[in-house]
Amino acid sequence: MKVLFIAKGRDDPAARYRVMPVLSHFQDLKIETSLCDESDGLAAKLRLLSQASDAQLLFIQRKLFAPWFTRALKRRCSNIVFDFDDAIFCRSNGTSSDSRMRKFRGMLASSTLVFAGNEYLAMQCGDVDKVVVPTAVDEKPYSPDIEKESGCTLVWIGSSSTRKYLEQHRQILEEVGVRFPNIILKVIADFDFHLTNMDVVNVAWTLESEASQLSSAHIGIAPMSDNPWTRGKCALKVIQYMAAGLPVISSNAGANREVVVQGETGLLADSADDWLRAIELLSGNESERNRLGSGGRQRMLQHYSSQTVLDSITENLRSRALIPA
């Protein structure tokens, strides 16, 4: 059989974590695969319709087409798996969008099976056949036993699109710098971040260095707001911290609260005082950091490792006869 993957692009973070591993896994299963990462414009859409006619399964990741085009794809290939890991039915500020919701509902109506990145996203799918498939991380590049940096380093990993969550917690971080002058913040991103009261080490993100840069820190932080958009986030940075064996301090929001087990793999914070207490506890207690970090690593291996999630995807597709047994 032939599976056509439709995604934003192989280097897009969502595609890198949720499409390319599945594509590679299918190739290992001797399933023919192809990737379409260009579907904007009339000519590209016509090419996509032609490619869809030659496939037995379409695996569409996050793309929201006009309902007429989604129906056209369905006519050319009756089996569509729709995978999404963000609240793509609303705007990134959390406000509703009629046009996005219309496209989202059209995609659901044409899908044979939906893979939702977390429970909140699955709840938005109504009565369609759906499975929660979390974002997964390959644990092999991460080394919990790597030599740590001196002192105590908080680490945050992200991009310009998620910088706003770091900015929203700027005052808390400034207060951390006042109370705990020996703490350093490492920011792994595509921008520089600075604080008045805390030393910040800015590290340019690269795929090759992200695992070692995370593993050498002491505590992973995941500040986030709570709205319809953030509830659709799939806790990637939290899962990366856990893969690196780091204890996590996270806002009690979105999928982060599904992934972090309070007091076992990290600490959830509802307020500025919660953040300060959590940082005080973990920055001064290496044994507690090790306990939570070890618990997080084990939880990640059990629920969020690439192989675990790939096995779940394969089982769900086979049980519905969407790929060969």
Side-chain angles (χ1 to χ4, degrees), residues 11 13 31 61 89 114 141 181 185 192 213 217 252 255 286 302 306 319:
D11 294 326
I31 296 173
Q61 210 278 322
F89 42 79
V114 175
L185 173 64
D192 284 351
Q213 288 289 350
N252 188 15
E286 182 179 0
Q302 185 175 1
S306 291
S319 68

Side-chain angles (χ1 to χ4, degrees), residues 46-63:
L46 292 175
R47 286 194 298 271
L48 177 52
L49 290 174
S50 177
Q51 290 176 278
S53 298
D54 294 331
Q56 286 73 55
L57 175 67
L58 303 184
F59 190 106
I60 302 177
Q61 210 278 322
R62 285 175 62 112
K63 299 288 287 185

Side-chain angles (χ1 to χ4, degrees), residues 4-9 34-39 44 47-48 51:
L4 174 61
F5 289 84
I6 304 170
K8 184 175 180 180
S34 59
L35 173 66
C36 174
D37 56 6
E38 178 54 62
S39 56
R47 286 194 298 271
L48 177 52
Q51 290 176 278

Side-chain angles (χ1 to χ4, degrees), residues 261-279:
V261 179
Q262 176 76 350
E264 295 183 18
T265 69
L267 301 171
L268 295 168
D270 286 302
S271 66
D273 286 343
D274 288 344
W275 274 98
L276 292 169
R277 281 192 293 267
I279 290 172

Side-chain angles (χ1 to χ4, degrees), residues 289-313:
R289 292 200 302 267
N290 291 339
R291 183 182 73 83
L292 295 180
S294 177
R297 171 83 175 183
Q298 292 305 309
R299 178 165 169 76
M300 178 268 164
L301 292 175
Q302 185 175 1
H303 298 285
Y304 306 105
S305 73
S306 291
Q307 193 57 56
T308 298
V309 172
L310 287 172
D311 288 345
S312 173
I313 289 172

Side-chain angles (χ1 to χ4, degrees), residues 35 47 58 86 105 107 124 132 158 163 270 273 287 317:
L35 173 66
R47 286 194 298 271
L58 303 184
D86 260 329
R105 288 173 175 164
M107 185 62 72
Q124 312 309 310
V132 173
R163 175 177 183 160
D270 286 302
D273 286 343
S287 63
L317 293 175

Side-chain angles (χ1 to χ4, degrees), residues 33 57 67 82 84-87 129-130 142 159 167 210 227 230 232 248 257 270 272 289 292 300 317:
T33 65
L57 175 67
F82 180 53
F84 72 115
D85 61 332
D86 260 329
D129 189 7
K130 57 188 177 293
Y142 298 84
S159 66
E167 292 286 356
E210 66 171 353
N227 61 48
T230 60
V248 178
R257 65 165 64 101
D270 286 302
R289 292 200 302 267
L292 295 180
M300 178 268 164
L317 293 175

